[in-house]
C-alpha cells in the first residue's frame, strides 16, 4: 500500500527546491520564491491526472471531507449518509460540520449497499458519502443515480483509492466532488495532506476560500489576492513541503498500482486454494488499485480458524470485523456518545436532550459479512522470500 516504500531522489529534489527558496507558505512571497509554487503545481497535476477541472489541496483527508461538506452547505439539523465500514474520519467530519451521520449497510463490494441507501434517505439528507474502501470502487453509478433522483449531492471519500477508476473514469469524479488523503499509510503520501477534486467552479471557489479563513480568492484565482471576505472559514492550508512531496509521489502512483496488481494476482492464486473461499466483489478489475485483497470464508468460525493458522505461520490477515478503527459496532465512543464537550454535543442538544443514538446491532447484514472477512494489505514490493512464506501459510490454512 504505502508510498513510503518508494521514496527516493525524486522526493528529495522536490523538497530541496522548497528549502532553496525558503518559502514554506503556498501563497504570496512572490519575489523570494523564484516562481516555485509546489502546492499549486501539485493541485494542477492532480486534477489533470484524475480528469477533473479543479483540485484543492488541504492539510488532511479528514480536512478534505470537512471542507467539501462546508462548501456543499451542510450544517446543524442536517443528516449525511455514509457507510458503516469506513475509517472514523468520514463521520468525524460530518459531526464537525454540525450534522449527524446516518450509516448504511455494505454489500460484498465492502462498500455502500445502494438498496439500503435508498431506505435511509430522509428530508434531512443533505449529502451522501460513499467510500471507495480498501482501494476499490463502490457501486458509484447506482449510488449516483439514486442520489440524483432525490436531488442530493454525492461526495466520494476516495482516501483509500487514489488512482482507482471505474470503466476508465477516475474514482472521485462521479459525484459533485471527491476527497483524497495522503497520510503516511496511503498509497501516495505527503506525510499528512489531502485533496478535493471537482468540476464545479462555484464549489471550487467556496472550498478555496473556506480553507483559507474565508479570504477572497475571486480576484486572483489560484492565489489569494483580495482582502474581502464573503463568509467565515478556517485554516486547512497545505504547505509547500507537502506539495513538493505530492508532485514526486503522484508521478509514481501508476507504477505503485502496477506493482500492487502483480502482487495481488499472485496472492489471489494462493488464497484461492482454501476450500470454500470467495473474494470481495470488484466491479472493474482494471480500475482496482490493488492496495488490499479481501476474501470471505463460509462462516465466522471458519474465518477465525483459518486466520489462527495463518498467524501461527507468520502471515496473519486483518479481521476487519473486529477492527476498532473501521467498523461501526466497534466504534465504542460513537456507540457510547462520548465527547469532550460539556453540553454533550454532538450527541446531545444544548438542553441535554438526546440528539442521536447509535445502536451497535443496527447493521446486521454488514456484521454477517465482516465476520467472515479476512484482508491482506498488498505491498508495492513483495520479496520472493515473503511470498513463499505467505504461500506456505495459506497452504496450511487450506488444510484446516
Ligand atoms: C485515511 C482516511 C481518511 C482520513 O484521511 P487523513 O489524511 O488521515 O485525515 C478518510 N477516509 C478514509 C476512508 C480514510 O481511509
Amino acid at each position: 500500500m504505502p508510498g513510503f516504500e518508494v521514496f527516493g531522489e525524486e522526493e528529495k529534489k522536490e523538497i530541496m527546491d522548497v528549502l532553496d527558496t525558503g518559502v514554506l507558505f503556498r501563497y504570496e512571497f512572490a519575489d523570494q520564491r523564484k516562481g516555485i509554487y509546489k502546492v499549486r503545481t501539485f493541485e494542477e497535476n492532480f486534477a489533470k491526472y484524475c480528469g477533473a477541472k479543479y483540485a484543492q489541496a488541504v492539510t488532511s483527508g479528514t480536512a478534505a471531507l470537512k471542507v467539501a461538506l462546508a462548501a456543499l452547505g451542510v450544517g446543524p439539523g442536517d443528516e449525511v449518509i455514509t457507510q458503516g465500514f469506513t475509517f472514523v474520519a468520514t463521520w468525524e467530519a460530518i459531526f464537525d460540520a454540525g450534522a449527524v451521520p446516518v450509516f448504511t449497510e455494505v454489500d460484498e463490494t465492502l462498500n455502500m449497499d445502494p438498496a439500503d441507501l435508498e431506505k435511509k434517505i430522509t428530508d434531512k439528507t443533505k449529502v451522501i458519502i460513499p467510500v471507495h474502501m480498501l482501494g476499490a470502487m463502490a457501486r458509484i453509478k447506482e449510488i449516483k443515480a439514486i442520489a440524483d433522483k432525490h436531488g442530493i449531492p454525492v461526495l466520494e471519500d476516495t482516501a483509500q483509492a487514489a488512482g482507482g477508476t471505474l470503466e476508465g473514469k477516475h474514482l472521485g469524479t462521479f459525484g459533485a466532488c471527491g476527497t483524497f488523503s495522503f497520510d503516511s499509510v496511503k498509497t501516495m503520501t505527503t506525510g499528512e495532506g489531502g485533496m478535493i477534486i471537482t468540476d464545479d467552479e462555484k464549489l471550487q471557489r467556496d472550498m478555496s476560500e473556506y480553507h483559507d479563513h474565508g479570504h477572497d480568492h475571486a480576484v486572483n484565482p489560484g492565489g489569494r489576492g483580495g482582502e474581502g471576505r464573503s463568509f467565515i472559514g478556517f485554516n486547512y492550508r497545505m504547505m509547500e513541503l507537502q506539495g513538493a512531496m505530492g508532485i514526486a509521489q503522484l508521478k509514481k502512483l501508476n507504477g505503485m498500482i502496477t506493482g500492487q496488481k502483480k502482487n495481488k494476482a499472485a496472492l489471489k492464486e494462493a488464497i484461492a486454494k482454501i476450500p470454500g473461499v470467495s473474494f470481495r466483489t470488484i466491479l472493474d478489475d482494471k480500475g482496482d488499485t490493488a492496495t488490499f485483497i479481501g476474501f470471505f470464508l463460509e462462516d465466522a468460525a471458519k474465518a477465525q480458524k483459518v486466520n489462527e493458522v495463518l498467524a501461527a505461520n507468520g502471515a496473519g490477515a486483518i479481521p476487519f470485523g473486529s477492527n476498532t478503527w473501521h467498523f461501526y459496532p466497534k466504534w465504542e465512543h460513537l456507540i457510547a456518545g462520548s465527547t469532550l464537550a460539556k453540553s454533550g454535543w454532538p450527541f446531545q442538544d444544548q438542553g441535554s436532550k438526546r440528539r442521536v443514538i447509535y445502536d451497535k446491532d443496527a447493521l446486521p447484514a454488514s456484521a454477517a459479512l465482516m465476520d467472515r472477512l479476512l484482508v491482506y494489505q498488498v505491498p508495492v514490493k513483495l520479496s520472493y522470500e515473503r511470498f513463499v512464506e505467505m504461500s506456505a501459510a495459506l497452504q496450511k490454512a487450506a488444510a484446516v
Side-chain angles (χ1 to χ4, degrees):
M1 186 191 193
F4 62 65
E5 288 183 69
V6 297
F7 284 167
E9 292 308 315
E10 302 79 6
E11 282 80 1
K12 285 186 200 161
K13 187 211 159 273
E14 293 291 338
I15 293 280
M16 288 315 291
D17 283 352
V18 175
L19 295 182
D20 284 344
T21 66
V23 180
L24 297 179
F25 195 45
R26 66 161 298 175
Y27 298 117
E28 298 167 352
F29 296 92
D31 296 339
Q32 202 184 322
R33 66 193 314 146
K34 304 183 193 129
I36 290 177
Y37 289 88
K38 294 297 186 189
V39 175
R40 193 188 297 177
T41 304
F42 179 34
E43 288 171 340
E44 288 164 4
N45 294 358
F46 196 80
K48 197 164 161 216
Y49 173 84
C50 294
K53 275 199 187 137
Y54 309 100
Q56 176 62 54
V58 290
T59 43
S60 72
T62 314
L65 288 159
K66 171 70 194 302
V67 170
L69 287 169
L72 288 167
V74 171
D78 296 339
E79 290 177 0
V80 175
I81 300 180
T82 190
Q83 60 199 50
F85 177 50
T86 183
F87 181 56
V88 293
T90 316
W91 52 267
E92 286 171 348
I94 297 169
F95 276 130
D96 208 53
V100 165
V102 173
F103 297 95
T104 73
E105 300 273 20
V106 295
D107 62 22
E108 292 201 6
T109 62
L110 298 180
N111 289 319
M112 185 176 280
D113 174 1
D116 197 42
L117 164 64
E118 187 101 58
K119 288 184 210 150
K120 288 185 172 153
I121 292 173
T122 71
D123 298 347
K124 292 182 174 172
T125 310
K126 289 293 152 24
V127 172
I128 295 165
I129 311 185
V131 187
H132 303 292
M133 278 299 278
L134 306 183
M137 63 294 288
R139 296 185 191 279
I140 190 65
K141 287 166 76 177
E142 286 167 74
I143 291 163
K144 177 73 168 43
I146 293 166
D148 283 351
K149 202 170 71 187
H150 294 269
I152 303 167
V154 171
L155 189 180
E156 298 169 70
D157 183 342
T158 323
Q160 297 195 10
T165 56
L166 175 64
E167 292 163 18
K169 188 172 160 60
H170 269 269
L171 303 180
T173 63
F174 288 83
C177 56
T179 59
F180 295 82
S181 162
F182 311 122
D183 78 26
S184 297
V185 295
K186 295 303 200 288
T187 310
M188 58 169 283
T189 180
T190 60
E192 297 281 2
M195 192 77 85
I196 312 137
I197 56 173
T198 185
D199 282 346
D200 182 329
E201 188 184 353
K202 168 79 164 71
L203 200 58
Q204 168 62 26
R205 168 89 51 78
D206 286 349
M207 292 191 298
S208 177
E209 296 187 350
Y210 179 79
H211 107 293
D212 183 25
H213 300 298
H215 273 292
D216 182 359
H217 290 188
V219 194
N220 177 22
R224 229 176 180 184
E227 273 307 313
R229 282 159 291 269
S230 323
F231 50 77
I232 59 166
F234 210 76
N235 173 11
Y236 294 109
R237 288 186 308 259
M238 182 181 267
M239 69 167 175
E240 289 289 274
L241 290 171
Q242 294 157 298
M245 283 296 291
I247 292 170
Q249 284 270 293
L250 179 60
K251 287 186 185 148
K252 298 181 179 183
L253 181 55
N254 285 346
M256 287 194 269
I257 292 172
T258 304
Q260 288 171 169
K261 273 187 181 330
K262 190 177 131 244
N263 293 331
K264 181 168 176 175
L267 287 172
K268 188 170 180 183
E269 227 180 278
I271 294 165
K273 294 190 180 125
I274 302 174
V277 80
S278 64
F279 290 91
R280 169 198 187 183
T281 302
I282 302 280
L283 300 175
D284 177 0
D285 272 323
K286 257 176 96 175
D288 178 16
T289 65
T291 44
F292 290 91
I293 182 160
F295 52 104
F296 301 104
L297 283 309
E298 291 129 303
D299 54 44
K302 180 80 191 278
Q304 199 179 341
K305 223 160 140 194
V306 162
N307 206 22
E308 275 165 20
V309 175
L310 291 173
N313 290 279
I318 311 166
F320 266 107
S322 49
N323 179 289
T324 57
W325 290 101
H326 295 89
F327 186 40
Y328 174 95
K330 303 291 172 186
W331 296 325
E332 77 282 6
H333 54 327
L334 175 84
I335 306 288
S338 306
T339 170
L340 283 176
K342 296 212 164 62
S343 65
W345 183 269
F347 300 97
Q348 299 190 357
D349 272 331
Q350 247 91 16
S352 295
K353 215 179 87 209
R354 199 68 191 237
R355 187 172 171 235
V356 57
I357 293 171
Y358 293 98
D359 168 8
K360 78 175 174 36
D361 299 319
L363 301 175
S366 303
L369 270 180
M370 300 298 289
D371 279 351
R372 302 194 286 122
L373 174 71
L374 295 178
V375 174
Y376 280 122
Q377 187 169 312
V378 179
V380 177
K381 297 176 181 170
L382 179 61
S383 72
Y384 180 71
E385 291 72 25
R386 177 63 181 150
F387 177 67
V388 168
E389 184 181 30
M390 291 181 81
S391 297
L394 286 160
Q395 207 153 11
K396 286 203 179 122
V400 166

